[in-house]
Amino acid sequence: MADDLLKKIIAHSKEYGFIFPSSEIYDGLSAVYDYGQNGAELKKNIKEYWWQSMVQLHSNIVGLDAAIFMHPKVWEASGHVGAFNDPLIDNKDSKKRYRADVLIEEFRAKYEAKIDNEVKKAKKKFGDSFDTEQFFKTNPNVLRNQNKIDKLNERFVKALNDNDLEELRQIIIDNEIACPESGSKNWTEVRQFNLMFNTKLGSVSDSANTIYLRPETAQGIFVNYLNVQKTGRMKIPFGIAQIGKAFRNEIVARQFIFRMREFEQMEMQFFVRPGEEMKWYEYWKEFRIKWHKNLELGNDKYKTHDHDKLAHYANAAVDIEFDFPMGFKEVEGIHSRTNFDLSRHQEFSGKKLQYFDPELNESYVPYVVETSIGLDRMFMTILSAAYKEEVVGDNGETRIVLSIPPALAPFKIAILPLVKKDGLSEVAQKIFDKLRLHFNVMYEEKDSIGKRYRRQDAIGTPYCITIDHQTIEDNAVTLRHRDTMEQERISIDDLIKTVEEKVSMVKLLEGLI
Ligand code: ATP
């Protein structure tokens, strides 16, 4: 079922110009994708929603656009050269490669799904009188599965924290975890694999010229901390936000745009007084969850998950997970990174990266709380929640509709003259010219009106207007709503105001304050 939905979303994305495999005429490039005409618009609107809510709505946050290439020492200081590894394991029979930690997590998710099912069944049976807490304490199936999860977790978390690769393998063997493709349990050793891509700078190919494609945008912010603080006269607490490409040579890159080798991140690093980081961590956690829920994709589609293993730089970290077709998975991370990064850059560069706090009358290396979201994963949350197949009308006819939040939809309105003749095209063209100053508008006069409506539903256009013969007499058009398919007659003079009410970014941002 879930697999089906993912396949349908991939096919739909391609058919309607959202996402194409990279270099498709050469059979594609693994885990690299291109955004088509509609995808580029949706992506741009997601960026805008993020940027405006983070930078425009927070007067103490400013933007940055740092280069992808950075001095190689940056990645030594950040710990990426030494520790940006994933544990890799191969199946000897199927020759398939996996991340050992992901294999174990997916195995654990099966027990979690069993508990979820048990709870769902009981909720249905007992209705309003159902007591979740009591059920978790007493139901033997839930208790048994929870016990298995707890035992597994204890070993797993310890193995991750100790970087114990042999123990990771042993967990896979002891739990009889099989290769998802072949069912084989014939595993190799677990090895560490560094995820950074490297290349050469300039024409002399000695090792001194090896540079990396950045695996995260954050370091561009850290190395510019002082530049921005000084030139922007920023006072702590303040933040620097950035949207940009990141590159990771992922071991297993499946599941469409969920895990890519080239992707985009939207990150914000918030610099705070040492000791105040947990307060800001809570603030940003709450704000970021609000940002997601404000899109109304369904509040039950989000979960938060505290990290099993904290990264070398963090003292607290939480994932915001979304209910993708493959189950709940991370879409965003909020991390309290202590003063690790700035201290390390201070050490490696020999330059002071401190802040003089006039209220405390002392200098310190600021602490950092970051919010880090994958733009492509965010794109996928929207597609996953928006894709719907609906039966319309009495004769079993179906439609595919993308109920994309209107402010993010690629096109806000489609202008459809009922027929080309009788001067309708000319009237429609006039309306088009007026509306395009305000919104991204599509003009279409080919095919029957029914077919044109379906095409707009399939790309998520919230409104269609039809210009008919009556329009010439009464200066009014038919406005059709995407989600309800309801139609109303509306004066051309009221169009901009009515549509704006629903599709403007301002409306969406208002939900955050
Ligand atoms: P995962 O555990 O899924 O590999 P991560 O914890 O390594 O992710 P972070 O380093 O915290 O991810 O990166 C921040 C965000 O960047 C993630 O929440 C995710 O949305 C996005 N991201 C990370 N790796 C990828 C990828 N390969 N493709 C697309 N988005 C990614």
Side-chain angles (χ1 to χ4, degrees):
M1 249 285 279
D3 228 23
D4 270 7
L5 178 59
L6 183 59
K7 279 191 190 136
K8 283 179 181 170
I9 289 173
I10 295 172
H12 188 83
S13 298
K14 190 176 155 200
E15 188 178 347
Y16 286 93
F18 283 89
I19 298 166
F20 308 123
S22 157
S23 343
E24 199 191 1
I25 55 170
Y26 294 99
D27 295 333
L29 183 65
S30 167
V32 187
Y33 291 91
D34 298 338
Y35 287 82
Q37 65 279 18
N38 292 320
E41 295 288 344
L42 174 53
K43 205 174 173 198
K44 177 178 73 65
N45 294 339
I46 299 172
K47 283 192 211 178
E48 207 171 306
Y49 175 44
W50 186 85
W51 190 269
Q52 294 193 6
S53 62
M54 299 297 277
V55 181
Q56 195 169 308
L57 292 191
H58 289 90
S59 44
N60 55 357
I61 298 183
V62 292
L64 180 79
D65 188 358
I68 288 170
F69 290 142
M70 301 181 75
H71 194 286
K73 271 208 175 156
V74 167
W75 306 110
E76 283 173 38
S78 69
H80 283 81
V81 172
F84 194 52
N85 300 319
D86 276 343
L88 164 163
I89 191 166
D90 290 296
N91 187 278
K92 289 184 190 164
D93 296 325
S94 68
K95 307 277 183 253
K96 291 275 170 203
R97 179 159 286 183
Y98 297 94
R99 260 172 68 174
D101 57 334
V102 172
L103 275 181
I104 297 170
E105 277 168 9
E106 283 176 355
F107 177 74
R108 180 179 66 189
K110 284 186 192 152
Y111 289 116
E112 287 166 353
K114 277 186 191 168
I115 294 179
D116 276 355
N117 265 344
E118 206 73 49
V119 172
K120 259 189 212 146
K121 264 195 324 208
K123 258 190 190 159
K124 216 172 179 184
K125 190 165 153 198
F126 296 111
D128 288 344
S129 64
F130 181 69
D131 179 343
T132 315
E133 211 176 303
Q134 186 67 13
F135 188 73
F136 267 89
K137 278 193 202 142
T138 52
N139 180 282
N141 291 339
V142 170
L143 286 173
R144 198 180 55 249
N145 285 319
Q146 190 58 47
N147 188 26
K148 283 186 183 154
I149 293 175
D150 292 344
K151 275 200 173 139
L152 178 70
N153 266 350
E154 202 178 310
R155 277 181 81 182
F156 182 42
V157 172
K158 186 165 181 331
L160 287 178
N161 283 323
D162 297 348
N163 246 331
D164 187 342
L165 301 183
E166 259 172 52
E167 171 67 355
L168 277 181
R169 177 173 193 270
Q170 206 51 48
I171 294 173
I172 291 175
I173 304 291
D174 292 349
N175 286 286
E176 300 187 8
I177 299 176
C179 165
E181 296 264 325
S182 65
S184 155
K185 295 171 193 160
N186 194 4
W187 295 106
T188 62
E189 299 303 305
V190 177
R191 287 181 290 140
Q192 291 288 27
F193 178 76
N194 193 292
L195 301 182
M196 280 198 295
F197 285 100
N198 60 43
T199 183
K200 300 276 181 202
L201 191 69
S203 55
V204 189
S205 61
D206 62 30
S207 65
N209 293 320
T210 296
I211 55 165
Y212 299 97
L213 295 184
R214 67 180 178 199
E216 62 175 25
T217 53
Q219 298 305 325
I221 289 180
F222 293 130
V223 300
N224 278 297
Y225 154 74
L226 213 53
N227 283 338
V228 174
Q229 191 271 320
K230 288 227 174 322
T231 57
R233 291 179 293 126
M234 307 304 290
K235 296 211 172 14
I236 269 180
F238 75 91
I240 305 178
Q242 174 168 226
I243 300 176
K245 290 262 178 168
F247 304 82
R248 297 183 186 179
N249 200 2
E250 297 280 1
I251 296 171
V252 184
R254 294 194 205 105
Q255 300 172 328
F256 197 34
I257 55 170
F258 179 81
R259 192 176 296 289
M260 302 153 90
R261 296 203 165 103
E262 173 180 342
F263 57 100
E264 242 174 303
Q265 288 187 315
M266 306 190 284
E267 293 199 301
M268 190 280 298
Q269 271 69 33
F270 201 67
F271 300 90
V272 305
R273 244 183 218 169
E276 292 195 350
E277 69 272 18
M278 289 321 286
K279 181 179 93 184
W280 288 109
Y281 174 73
E282 290 306 324
Y283 171 84
W284 283 111
K285 183 172 157 185
E286 205 175 299
F287 182 80
R288 293 305 306 154
I289 292 171
K290 194 170 172 186
W291 184 91
H292 284 278
K293 292 192 172 168
N294 190 41
L295 288 171
E296 298 182 352
L297 302 179
N299 285 357
D300 56 341
K301 288 189 158 45
Y302 298 93
K303 266 189 194 172
T304 55
H305 181 261
D306 292 311
H307 278 203
D308 292 330
K309 178 196 175 189
L310 287 175
H312 55 277
Y313 51 75
N315 68 358
V318 64
D319 292 339
I320 299 175
E321 296 186 339
F322 185 80
D323 192 4
F324 289 102
M326 322 78 80
F328 279 94
K329 302 257 183 207
E330 168 181 349
V331 58
E332 170 158 11
I334 292 102
H335 313 126
S336 171
R337 290 180 83 125
T338 67
N339 62 1
F340 176 84
D341 304 88
L342 289 182
S343 299
R344 294 275 290 188
H345 286 306
Q346 194 168 255
E347 189 187 317
F348 279 65
S349 68
K351 307 270 167 23
K352 270 207 163 143
L353 298 177
Q354 300 199 342
Y355 176 76
F356 176 74
D357 193 325
E359 277 173 41
L360 299 179
N361 199 25
E362 66 176 69
S363 291
Y364 51 75
V365 178
Y367 271 47
V368 171
V369 175
E370 79 172 358
T371 70
S372 174
I373 176 169
L375 175 54
D376 313 87
R377 277 195 199 174
M378 188 57 213
F379 193 108
M380 190 156 161
T381 66
I382 290 171
L383 281 186
S384 311
Y387 181 92
K388 291 183 186 117
E389 289 172 8
E390 290 178 355
V391 178
V392 286
D394 300 330
N395 46 9
E397 195 201 335
T398 59
R399 71 162 181 165
I400 293 176
V401 57
L402 294 186
S403 351
I404 299 172
L408 305 186
F411 290 90
K412 307 303 182 208
I413 186 158
I415 299 181
L416 317 172
L418 192 62
V419 290
K420 284 186 218 168
K421 48 187 188 193
D422 307 332
L424 296 192
S425 285
E426 286 73 16
V427 178
Q429 195 67 47
K430 261 195 197 149
I431 299 175
F432 177 58
D433 286 339
K434 203 163 126 195
L435 294 191
R436 72 204 298 192
L437 294 170
H438 296 259
F439 319 105
N440 203 19
V441 186
M442 183 170 287
Y443 183 90
E444 268 214 305
E445 52 182 27
K446 203 169 166 282
D447 292 328
S448 74
I449 196 75
K451 269 196 183 153
R452 281 183 271 167
Y453 281 156
R454 291 289 168 273
R455 275 206 297 272
Q456 295 305 322
D457 288 345
I459 63 168
T461 309
Y463 289 109
C464 290
I465 59 166
T466 315
I467 290 91
D468 55 23
H469 292 96
Q470 211 186 320
T471 304
I472 294 169
E473 283 154 34
D474 65 2
N475 197 42
V477 291
T478 303
L479 182 73
R480 175 186 180 269
H481 298 249
R482 174 194 70 195
D483 297 331
T484 58
M485 292 185 288
E486 272 167 16
Q487 304 189 6
E488 57 176 315
R489 202 74 190 160
I490 171 170
S491 158
I492 293 172
D493 301 332
D494 294 338
L495 262 178
I496 292 172
K497 195 163 158 278
T498 307
V499 174
E500 191 131 84
E501 222 6 64
K502 269 275 163 53
V503 308
S504 82
M505 193 60 84
V506 177
K507 272 272 156 230
L508 192 58
L509 292 174
E510 273 173 2
L512 293 175
I513 51 175

